[in-house]
Amino acid sequence: MEMFKKASATPLSRRKVLGAGLFGAAMLASPYIRRASAEENVLYVNTWGGDWEASVKKFLFGPFTKDTGIEIRTVSPISFAKLAAQKTTGVYEFDVTTLGVADVARANGAGLLETLEGHVDTSKLWEGAIYQNGLATHGFATQMAYNAAKFPEGFKNWSDFFNVEKFPGNRSLQRHAARVLAIALLADGVPADQLFPYDLDRAFASLDRIKDHVRVWWTAGPQARQILTDGEVDMAGLWDSDAFGAKEASKDPIEIVWDQAVVDKACWIVAKDSPRAENGFKLISHIGQNAEGLAKFCIADQNGPMNPKSFDFIPAEVAARMPTHPEHLARAVMLDGAKLLPQLDELSTRFESWVGI
């Protein structure tokens, strides 16, 4: 999950998408790449490897193979560039992968995804399950957490986080343009339903107010957890799993705020023109209806299921700290990659220049 969160944070410019064609040429030369065959009773899935892959194999892929007889073989790590190159070269290293909302919107806009309409029975899925031709199965949040020993009056929202006069102290935020700009606009009073597309000038003006107070622009979840646990910073905007980890590990009382948590979703997609697309549709349908398996996967991987039925299989004390728990989701802000699509290159370039580290 750590890698997914990091990679889904990385916008890909049009130049890079076009450059994926060069990568595709390299793929053709690789001895590990094999041309696809529609007759194979197999499916190649792009995964993050490691613990993430172990969990997804155990709780989602294993039951699928047992029910359908279709063997799943995995390749990793997940790569948007490979997805783009496959469409260009016709050489398919994988048929199915997962993407965050920004990348799935970009891929759908570029014609890199098979349409799910007519191939997946959406009547058997929950409302909002299909996003930009991807099945959104689980999500994670960027939320605020703070040292309650230093701020006993407590934080309510991102406006408090940005109020350096009332709440002086060191801060930390993720070096991730799409998520941080959402936070900056919410802090400046923009209503959640008017957030997308971003008012970039207003967002950067808001960020200017706290730039000198952000001690660390973190790039990995454990880094954010550790600096809050150690007291290097007094407050942080960090992933829900790391906020909970800091709360458990710190000698100081760490409080977590669920209001205005910014939620990103992971979506399963089928690569455009994959000769094994039919098997891919079967996998996506199976995952969408395997509420218990998704619940177990989310418990193991420390994220939240998007399928509401999955909460029937999750202990109440575990569900209470998941970002997609209905009580939390009702107070959260969902990232909308489709509405951000025209801005992704600009907001990323401008943010990196603004950070200037």
Side-chain angles (χ1 to χ4, degrees), residues 80 102-113 132-133 338 341:
F80 189 102
D103 279 344
V104 77
R106 179 184 292 110
N108 196 47
L112 302 179
L113 309 184
Q132 297 282 294
N133 281 318
L341 185 57

Side-chain angles (χ1 to χ4, degrees), residues 319-357:
R321 59 175 185 263
M322 287 183 161
T324 59
H325 186 280
E327 185 177 310
H328 297 155
L329 207 53
R331 301 152 66 184
V333 178
M334 305 293 291
L335 273 184
D336 194 329
K339 291 182 179 177
L340 287 179
L341 185 57
Q343 294 183 303
L344 285 176
D345 283 349
E346 180 184 359
L347 70 87
S348 179
T349 301
R350 189 168 169 180
F351 177 73
E352 287 302 315
S353 176
W354 179 89
V355 170
I357 299 174

Side-chain angles (χ1 to χ4, degrees), residues 180-210:
V180 164
L181 293 181
I183 288 170
L185 289 168
L186 291 167
D188 202 44
V190 176
D193 61 356
Q194 298 176 29
L195 200 57
F196 307 103
Y198 292 156
D199 181 336
L200 294 181
D201 290 339
R202 184 172 178 177
F204 282 100
S206 179
L207 282 175
D208 285 341
R209 293 191 284 123
I210 64 163

